[in-house]
Amino acid sequence: MDDSVVGCTLEFDVLEPSEIALQIAVAGPSRETLQVTGADGPIESVEVDRQHLVHAPAGPLTVTYQATVPPRTAVRPVTDLDRIVALRPSRYCPSDRLGGFAAGEFGTAPEVPTIAAWVFQRLFYQGGSSGPSTDAIDTMLSGAGVCRDYAHLVVTLCRASSIPARVAAVYAPGLSPMDFHLVAEAVVDGRWTVWDATRLAPRPTLIRIATGRDAADTALASTLSGSVILNQTEIFAIAGGDLPLDDHQSPVSLAH
């Protein structure tokens, strides 16, 4: 497989001097460029563990990122700390409230493909059907959502079934309409495996941006101080070769 090419352009209105944390760079090594431009020209950013801090003056702000990503196979092992964190309930994944439901629906020894397929079958993909405060229980009750809602529900039901699970923000070649994408990762046979209950993109081509307990940990832009409005996003993700078929049943690991 050839190199993949991914990137994005973000356009903001900065209402007052602000500090912004960007989480749009791919997780592993790549050939990449990041340009931040304000009304008066280029603005420096500071990289902090693959995030980028920007001190932006008031006015328009444009962020442009592009990366050429070689094929990757390195997969990190599941550590004890990973398991501890990935079994705890979190803001958007209140797994402590769904233990009884998960046991009744999936039994005492459920498999992750079964949970992911259940979410795929139960939810309807609908843009605008959820908001910033929507959690997995809201999604299950409404029966609709977007990628983050699907991922949150898979993660919540896995944790409620004592399966360590987390989310991953990714660039997703083949996704339509193209956007940033959120998927679930769960431990299967002692390794992290990736599950996309939307089934809108082939998992082998996904490129990791960030990993976290839920979407609160993987936001593409966080305003740490000041006031900022994100007006427009444009994302592209081109696979290095033909898009593979994906049955969304077999375990696939997402490289770092």
Side-chain angles (χ1 to χ4, degrees), residues 1-6 26 69-72 170-175 178 181 183 194 196 200-209 236-246 248 252-255:
M1 184 179 288
D2 297 329
D3 294 351
S4 299
V5 181
V6 301
V26 298
V69 185
R72 294 173 176 166
V170 296
Y171 288 103
L175 182 67
M178 180 55 64
H181 200 42
V183 295
V194 60
D196 181 7
L200 292 177
R203 292 171 296 158
T205 64
L206 301 180
I207 297 172
R208 186 189 304 272
I209 300 171
F236 65 90
I238 303 169
D242 295 334
L243 291 172
L245 296 176
D246 187 357
H248 290 281
V252 172
S253 291
L254 181 59

Side-chain angles (χ1 to χ4, degrees), residues 111-146:
E111 296 184 349
V112 178
T114 301
I115 293 174
W118 185 92
V119 173
F120 168 72
Q121 293 162 2
R122 292 298 182 96
L123 298 187
F124 176 71
Y125 192 94
Q126 183 177 8
S129 59
S130 59
S133 63
T134 303
D135 68 16
I137 293 177
D138 297 326
T139 298
M140 188 171 68
L141 293 175
S142 70
V146 294

Side-chain angles (χ1 to χ4, degrees), residues 27 73-79 82 166 190-192 208 254-256:
T73 57
V75 178
R76 293 179 183 171
V78 180
T79 67
D82 286 340
R166 63 191 188 185
R191 64 189 179 100
W192 287 113
R208 186 189 304 272
L254 181 59
H256 283 77

